[in-house]
Amino acid sequence: MRRYSACIEWLFAEEGDSFPDRIRRAHAAGLTAIEFWRWTDKDLDAIEAALKETGLAVTSLVAEPMIALTDAANRQAWLKGLAESVTVAKRLGAPVLIAQAGDDLPGLTRQEQRRALTETLKAGADILKGSGVRLGVEPLNIRIDHVGYFLDSTREGLDIIDDVARPEIGIVYDIYHSAIMDERTEDVLDDRLDRIIHVHVADHPGRNEPGSGSIDLAHRLGWIFANGYDGAVGLEYRPTRPGADAVKAAIASLDG
């Protein structure tokens, strides 16, 4: 059985509501897991209570602070935040923290930035070791959503993970971002699917619900599962229609 995780930053959200309300709506819709982004701006006590009430799991959240790992000057501040993020992830039972590489910085060569990113991730692995929590670095598209971002290539992301060479560090593979960058899932993952620790989906155009656009999400996701992926799939999209039925329809389109 595939496990889908509702990103409640966008899904099950209603004006003026709270995150615990979104957790309850996700549960009522039949979801078994949720995920969200930042934890520092949320009521963790209320979230934890709603999770216990519903029995839902948390698949991922963001490792804070969200600062450029491409800048070595940020390393110590980020590592301090990572340790705090691990504590929160363990408290909520989340097995994955998500990190973004940061922007392509002016005044630094790409080689210098990649070295800074790699060394920071190696240091982060020491913090993660033995915690049961892994860190996923996320390549993003630079054509629509994240112009100026450093890591727009899944292949380069995987190369960096190979350079880090620590089991605590992997990749978050977002099919939407990958497709926008004209990547074929089969080509870029090939024999390195084991480095993928979380998957995200959305359709194009609009970064809306699966089935609303032109990305062959069902095919790509089917290939990923057929080749051994057994983790969660994050429904990280902007819904054009509210309610549980729309989410169920999106999941049905992914299942083919």
Side-chain angles (χ1 to χ4, degrees), residues 1-40:
M1 289 286 293
R2 296 180 184 180
R3 184 167 59 140
Y4 291 100
S5 172
C7 178
I8 57 173
E9 300 286 349
W10 285 333
L11 297 185
F12 302 107
E14 296 181 6
E15 186 174 355
D17 72 357
S18 68
F19 259 62
D21 290 336
R22 300 179 193 187
I23 293 169
R24 295 182 184 100
R25 287 191 206 107
H27 176 254
L31 274 294
T32 61
I34 57 99
E35 58 187 80
F36 55 90
W37 299 336
R38 295 178 185 269
W39 57 267
T40 54

Short mmCIF file of all heavy atoms in Angstrom, two decimals, residues 1-40:
data_model
loop_
_atom_site.label_atom_id
_atom_site.label_comp_id
_atom_site.label_asym_id
_atom_site.label_seq_id
_atom_site.Cartn_x
_atom_site.Cartn_y
_atom_site.Cartn_z
N MET A 1 0.83 -1.20 0.00
CA MET A 1 0.00 0.00 0.00
C MET A 1 0.87 1.25 0.00
O MET A 1 1.77 1.39 0.82
CB MET A 1 -0.90 0.01 1.23
CG MET A 1 -2.01 -1.01 1.18
SD MET A 1 -3.32 -0.52 0.02
CE MET A 1 -3.96 0.92 0.86
N ARG A 2 0.60 2.15 -0.95
CA ARG A 2 1.31 3.42 -0.93
C ARG A 2 0.79 4.29 0.22
O ARG A 2 -0.39 4.25 0.55
CB ARG A 2 1.10 4.16 -2.25
CG ARG A 2 1.67 3.44 -3.45
CD ARG A 2 1.41 4.27 -4.71
NE ARG A 2 1.86 3.58 -5.90
CZ ARG A 2 1.75 4.08 -7.13
NH1 ARG A 2 1.18 5.27 -7.31
NH2 ARG A 2 2.18 3.40 -8.16
N ARG A 3 1.68 5.06 0.79
CA ARG A 3 1.28 5.96 1.86
C ARG A 3 1.40 7.40 1.38
O ARG A 3 2.47 7.84 0.99
CB ARG A 3 2.13 5.75 3.11
CG ARG A 3 1.67 6.61 4.29
CD ARG A 3 2.31 6.17 5.58
NE ARG A 3 3.75 6.23 5.50
CZ ARG A 3 4.52 6.66 6.51
NH1 ARG A 3 3.98 7.05 7.64
NH2 ARG A 3 5.82 6.68 6.40
N TYR A 4 0.28 8.10 1.39
CA TYR A 4 0.26 9.49 0.96
C TYR A 4 0.19 10.40 2.17
O TYR A 4 -0.53 10.13 3.14
CB TYR A 4 -0.93 9.74 0.03
CG TYR A 4 -0.79 9.05 -1.31
CD1 TYR A 4 -1.45 7.85 -1.56
CD2 TYR A 4 0.01 9.59 -2.30
CE1 TYR A 4 -1.31 7.21 -2.78
CE2 TYR A 4 0.15 8.96 -3.53
CZ TYR A 4 -0.51 7.77 -3.76
OH TYR A 4 -0.36 7.14 -4.97
N SER A 5 0.95 11.48 2.08
CA SER A 5 1.06 12.42 3.18
C SER A 5 0.57 13.79 2.72
O SER A 5 1.10 14.36 1.76
CB SER A 5 2.53 12.50 3.62
OG SER A 5 2.74 13.53 4.56
N ALA A 6 -0.43 14.33 3.39
CA ALA A 6 -1.00 15.62 2.99
C ALA A 6 -0.16 16.76 3.55
O ALA A 6 0.04 16.85 4.77
CB ALA A 6 -2.43 15.74 3.50
N CYS A 7 0.33 17.61 2.67
CA CYS A 7 1.04 18.81 3.12
C CYS A 7 -0.02 19.83 3.55
O CYS A 7 -0.68 20.46 2.71
CB CYS A 7 1.90 19.38 2.01
SG CYS A 7 2.74 20.91 2.50
N ILE A 8 -0.17 19.99 4.85
CA ILE A 8 -1.27 20.82 5.35
C ILE A 8 -0.94 22.31 5.37
O ILE A 8 -1.71 23.12 5.90
CB ILE A 8 -1.75 20.34 6.74
CG1 ILE A 8 -0.61 20.32 7.75
CG2 ILE A 8 -2.39 18.96 6.61
CD1 ILE A 8 -1.07 20.02 9.17
N GLU A 9 0.19 22.67 4.77
CA GLU A 9 0.40 24.09 4.48
C GLU A 9 -0.64 24.54 3.44
O GLU A 9 -1.09 25.69 3.47
CB GLU A 9 1.81 24.32 3.94
CG GLU A 9 2.92 23.93 4.88
CD GLU A 9 3.10 24.89 6.04
OE1 GLU A 9 2.50 25.99 6.01
OE2 GLU A 9 3.85 24.54 6.98
N TRP A 10 -0.99 23.65 2.53
CA TRP A 10 -1.92 23.96 1.45
C TRP A 10 -3.20 23.14 1.49
O TRP A 10 -4.27 23.63 1.13
CB TRP A 10 -1.23 23.75 0.09
CG TRP A 10 -0.26 24.82 -0.28
CD1 TRP A 10 -0.27 26.11 0.11
CD2 TRP A 10 0.87 24.67 -1.15
NE1 TRP A 10 0.77 26.80 -0.47
CE2 TRP A 10 1.49 25.95 -1.24
CE3 TRP A 10 1.42 23.62 -1.88
CZ2 TRP A 10 2.62 26.18 -2.02
CZ3 TRP A 10 2.56 23.84 -2.65
CH2 TRP A 10 3.15 25.11 -2.71
N LEU A 11 -3.11 21.90 1.90
CA LEU A 11 -4.28 21.03 1.87
C LEU A 11 -5.08 21.11 3.17
O LEU A 11 -4.50 21.30 4.26
CB LEU A 11 -3.87 19.58 1.62
CG LEU A 11 -3.19 19.29 0.29
CD1 LEU A 11 -2.95 17.79 0.14
CD2 LEU A 11 -4.00 19.81 -0.88
N PHE A 12 -6.38 20.95 3.04
CA PHE A 12 -7.31 20.97 4.18
C PHE A 12 -7.24 22.29 4.95
O PHE A 12 -7.54 22.34 6.14
CB PHE A 12 -7.05 19.78 5.12
CG PHE A 12 -7.18 18.45 4.44
CD1 PHE A 12 -6.05 17.69 4.14
CD2 PHE A 12 -8.41 17.97 4.05
CE1 PHE A 12 -6.15 16.47 3.49
CE2 PHE A 12 -8.53 16.75 3.40
CZ PHE A 12 -7.41 16.00 3.11
N ALA A 13 -6.84 23.34 4.25
CA ALA A 13 -6.70 24.65 4.87
C ALA A 13 -7.94 25.50 4.59
O ALA A 13 -8.40 25.58 3.45
CB ALA A 13 -5.46 25.36 4.33
N GLU A 14 -8.44 26.11 5.62
CA GLU A 14 -9.56 27.03 5.49
C GLU A 14 -9.20 28.33 6.20
O GLU A 14 -8.43 28.33 7.17
CB GLU A 14 -10.84 26.43 6.08
CG GLU A 14 -11.32 25.19 5.34
CD GLU A 14 -12.61 24.61 5.93
OE1 GLU A 14 -13.18 25.26 6.84
OE2 GLU A 14 -13.01 23.52 5.50
N GLU A 15 -9.75 29.42 5.73
CA GLU A 15 -9.41 30.72 6.28
C GLU A 15 -9.70 30.78 7.78
O GLU A 15 -10.77 30.42 8.24
CB GLU A 15 -10.22 31.81 5.56
CG GLU A 15 -9.83 33.22 5.97
CD GLU A 15 -10.54 34.28 5.16
OE1 GLU A 15 -11.27 33.92 4.20
OE2 GLU A 15 -10.37 35.48 5.47
N GLY A 16 -8.68 31.23 8.52
CA GLY A 16 -8.84 31.41 9.95
C GLY A 16 -8.74 30.14 10.78
O GLY A 16 -8.97 30.17 11.98
N ASP A 17 -8.38 29.02 10.13
CA ASP A 17 -8.33 27.77 10.87
C ASP A 17 -6.98 27.60 11.57
O ASP A 17 -6.10 28.46 11.50
CB ASP A 17 -8.63 26.58 9.96
CG ASP A 17 -7.50 26.28 8.97
OD1 ASP A 17 -6.49 27.02 8.95
OD2 ASP A 17 -7.62 25.30 8.22
N SER A 18 -6.82 26.48 12.25
CA SER A 18 -5.56 26.15 12.91
C SER A 18 -5.00 24.88 12.31
O SER A 18 -5.71 24.12 11.66
CB SER A 18 -5.81 25.94 14.41
OG SER A 18 -6.58 24.76 14.62
N PHE A 19 -3.72 24.65 12.57
CA PHE A 19 -3.11 23.43 12.06
C PHE A 19 -3.76 22.18 12.65
O PHE A 19 -3.95 21.19 11.93
CB PHE A 19 -1.60 23.46 12.29
CG PHE A 19 -0.84 23.83 11.06
CD1 PHE A 19 -1.02 25.07 10.46
CD2 PHE A 19 0.03 22.93 10.47
CE1 PHE A 19 -0.35 25.41 9.31
CE2 PHE A 19 0.71 23.27 9.31
CZ PHE A 19 0.52 24.51 8.73
N PRO A 20 -4.09 22.16 13.93
CA PRO A 20 -4.80 20.99 14.44
C PRO A 20 -6.10 20.71 13.69
O PRO A 20 -6.46 19.55 13.47
CB PRO A 20 -5.05 21.36 15.91
CG PRO A 20 -3.90 22.24 16.25
CD PRO A 20 -3.67 23.06 15.02
N ASP A 21 -6.83 21.77 13.27
CA ASP A 21 -8.04 21.56 12.48
C ASP A 21 -7.72 20.85 11.17
O ASP A 21 -8.48 19.97 10.73
CB ASP A 21 -8.71 22.90 12.16
CG ASP A 21 -9.33 23.56 13.39
OD1 ASP A 21 -9.66 22.83 14.34
OD2 ASP A 21 -9.48 24.80 13.39
N ARG A 22 -6.62 21.22 10.56
CA ARG A 22 -6.24 20.60 9.28
C ARG A 22 -5.88 19.13 9.48
O ARG A 22 -6.17 18.28 8.62
CB ARG A 22 -5.07 21.37 8.67
CG ARG A 22 -5.38 22.82 8.39
CD ARG A 22 -4.19 23.55 7.81
NE ARG A 22 -4.42 25.00 7.85
CZ ARG A 22 -3.62 25.90 7.28
NH1 ARG A 22 -2.54 25.51 6.63
NH2 ARG A 22 -3.89 27.19 7.39
N ILE A 23 -5.24 18.83 10.58
CA ILE A 23 -4.91 17.44 10.89
C ILE A 23 -6.20 16.62 11.02
O ILE A 23 -6.31 15.50 10.49
CB ILE A 23 -4.06 17.35 12.17
CG1 ILE A 23 -2.68 17.97 11.93
CG2 ILE A 23 -3.92 15.90 12.63
CD1 ILE A 23 -1.87 18.16 13.20
N ARG A 24 -7.17 17.17 11.70
CA ARG A 24 -8.44 16.46 11.88
C ARG A 24 -9.16 16.27 10.55
O ARG A 24 -9.77 15.23 10.31
CB ARG A 24 -9.31 17.22 12.89
CG ARG A 24 -8.70 17.24 14.30
CD ARG A 24 -9.59 17.96 15.29
NE ARG A 24 -8.93 18.03 16.60
CZ ARG A 24 -8.29 19.11 17.05
NH1 ARG A 24 -8.26 20.22 16.33
NH2 ARG A 24 -7.70 19.09 18.23
N ARG A 25 -9.11 17.28 9.67
CA ARG A 25 -9.75 17.14 8.36
C ARG A 25 -9.04 16.08 7.52
O ARG A 25 -9.68 15.32 6.79
CB ARG A 25 -9.73 18.48 7.63
CG ARG A 25 -10.70 19.49 8.19
CD ARG A 25 -10.84 20.71 7.27
NE ARG A 25 -11.26 21.86 8.06
CZ ARG A 25 -10.49 22.88 8.38
NH1 ARG A 25 -9.24 22.93 7.94
NH2 ARG A 25 -10.95 23.87 9.11
N ALA A 26 -7.72 16.05 7.59
CA ALA A 26 -6.97 15.03 6.85
C ALA A 26 -7.35 13.64 7.34
O ALA A 26 -7.54 12.71 6.54
CB ALA A 26 -5.46 15.26 7.01
N HIS A 27 -7.50 13.49 8.64
CA HIS A 27 -7.90 12.20 9.20
C HIS A 27 -9.30 11.81 8.74
O HIS A 27 -9.55 10.66 8.34
CB HIS A 27 -7.84 12.27 10.72
CG HIS A 27 -8.33 11.04 11.41
ND1 HIS A 27 -9.54 10.98 12.06
CD2 HIS A 27 -7.78 9.80 11.53
CE1 HIS A 27 -9.71 9.78 12.56
NE2 HIS A 27 -8.66 9.04 12.26
N ALA A 28 -10.21 12.77 8.76
CA ALA A 28 -11.59 12.50 8.34
C ALA A 28 -11.66 12.11 6.87
O ALA A 28 -12.56 11.36 6.45
CB ALA A 28 -12.47 13.72 8.59
N ALA A 29 -10.70 12.59 6.07
CA ALA A 29 -10.66 12.27 4.65
C ALA A 29 -10.02 10.92 4.37
O ALA A 29 -9.96 10.48 3.21
CB ALA A 29 -9.91 13.36 3.89
N GLY A 30 -9.50 10.26 5.40
CA GLY A 30 -8.91 8.94 5.23
C GLY A 30 -7.41 8.92 5.08
O GLY A 30 -6.82 7.86 4.86
N LEU A 31 -6.76 10.08 5.20
CA LEU A 31 -5.29 10.12 5.15
C LEU A 31 -4.72 9.53 6.43
O LEU A 31 -5.35 9.59 7.49
CB LEU A 31 -4.80 11.55 4.97
CG LEU A 31 -4.68 12.15 3.56
CD1 LEU A 31 -3.63 11.47 2.74
CD2 LEU A 31 -6.01 12.14 2.85
N THR A 32 -3.54 8.97 6.31
CA THR A 32 -2.88 8.40 7.49
C THR A 32 -1.67 9.20 7.92
O THR A 32 -1.06 8.89 8.95
CB THR A 32 -2.44 6.96 7.22
OG1 THR A 32 -1.51 6.95 6.12
CG2 THR A 32 -3.63 6.07 6.88
N ALA A 33 -1.31 10.23 7.14
CA ALA A 33 -0.11 10.99 7.46
C ALA A 33 -0.23 12.42 6.93
O ALA A 33 -0.94 12.68 5.97
CB ALA A 33 1.14 10.32 6.87
N ILE A 34 0.50 13.31 7.59
CA ILE A 34 0.57 14.70 7.15
C ILE A 34 2.03 15.14 7.19
O ILE A 34 2.91 14.46 7.74
CB ILE A 34 -0.29 15.63 8.02
CG1 ILE A 34 0.10 15.55 9.50
CG2 ILE A 34 -1.77 15.29 7.85
CD1 ILE A 34 1.01 16.66 9.98
N GLU A 35 2.28 16.30 6.58
CA GLU A 35 3.59 16.93 6.69
C GLU A 35 3.38 18.44 6.65
O GLU A 35 2.32 18.92 6.26
CB GLU A 35 4.51 16.48 5.55
CG GLU A 35 4.00 16.76 4.15
CD GLU A 35 4.91 16.13 3.09
OE1 GLU A 35 4.78 14.91 2.84
OE2 GLU A 35 5.74 16.88 2.53
N PHE A 36 4.39 19.15 7.07
CA PHE A 36 4.32 20.61 7.00
C PHE A 36 5.74 21.16 6.89
O PHE A 36 6.71 20.40 6.87
CB PHE A 36 3.56 21.20 8.19
CG PHE A 36 4.08 20.82 9.56
CD1 PHE A 36 5.05 21.58 10.19
CD2 PHE A 36 3.58 19.71 10.23
CE1 PHE A 36 5.53 21.25 11.45
CE2 PHE A 36 4.04 19.36 11.49
CZ PHE A 36 5.02 20.14 12.10
N TRP A 37 5.84 22.49 6.80
CA TRP A 37 7.13 23.12 6.56
C TRP A 37 7.79 23.54 7.88
O TRP A 37 8.30 22.70 8.61
CB TRP A 37 6.97 24.30 5.60
CG TRP A 37 6.43 23.89 4.25
CD1 TRP A 37 6.53 22.65 3.67
CD2 TRP A 37 5.70 24.70 3.34
NE1 TRP A 37 5.91 22.65 2.45
CE2 TRP A 37 5.39 23.89 2.21
CE3 TRP A 37 5.27 26.03 3.35
CZ2 TRP A 37 4.68 24.39 1.12
CZ3 TRP A 37 4.56 26.53 2.27
CH2 TRP A 37 4.27 25.71 1.16
N ARG A 38 7.78 24.81 8.18
CA ARG A 38 8.44 25.30 9.39
C ARG A 38 7.73 24.83 10.66
O ARG A 38 6.51 24.72 10.69
CB ARG A 38 8.47 26.83 9.38
CG ARG A 38 9.31 27.45 8.27
CD ARG A 38 9.20 28.97 8.34
NE ARG A 38 9.88 29.63 7.25
CZ ARG A 38 11.15 30.03 7.27
NH1 ARG A 38 11.87 29.81 8.35
NH2 ARG A 38 11.68 30.64 6.23
N TRP A 39 8.52 24.61 11.69
CA TRP A 39 7.95 24.26 12.99
C TRP A 39 8.04 25.41 13.98
O TRP A 39 7.31 25.44 14.98
CB TRP A 39 8.63 23.02 13.57
CG TRP A 39 10.13 23.14 13.73
CD1 TRP A 39 11.09 22.75 12.83
CD2 TRP A 39 10.84 23.67 14.85
NE1 TRP A 39 12.36 23.01 13.31
CE2 TRP A 39 12.23 23.58 14.57
CE3 TRP A 39 10.46 24.22 16.07
CZ2 TRP A 39 13.22 24.01 15.45
CZ3 TRP A 39 11.44 24.66 16.96
CH2 TRP A 39 12.80 24.55 16.65
N THR A 40 8.91 26.37 13.72
CA THR A 40 9.14 27.45 14.69
C THR A 40 7.97 28.42 14.78
O THR A 40 7.89 29.19 15.75
CB THR A 40 10.41 28.23 14.34
OG1 THR A 40 10.35 28.70 12.99
CG2 THR A 40 11.66 27.37 14.52
#
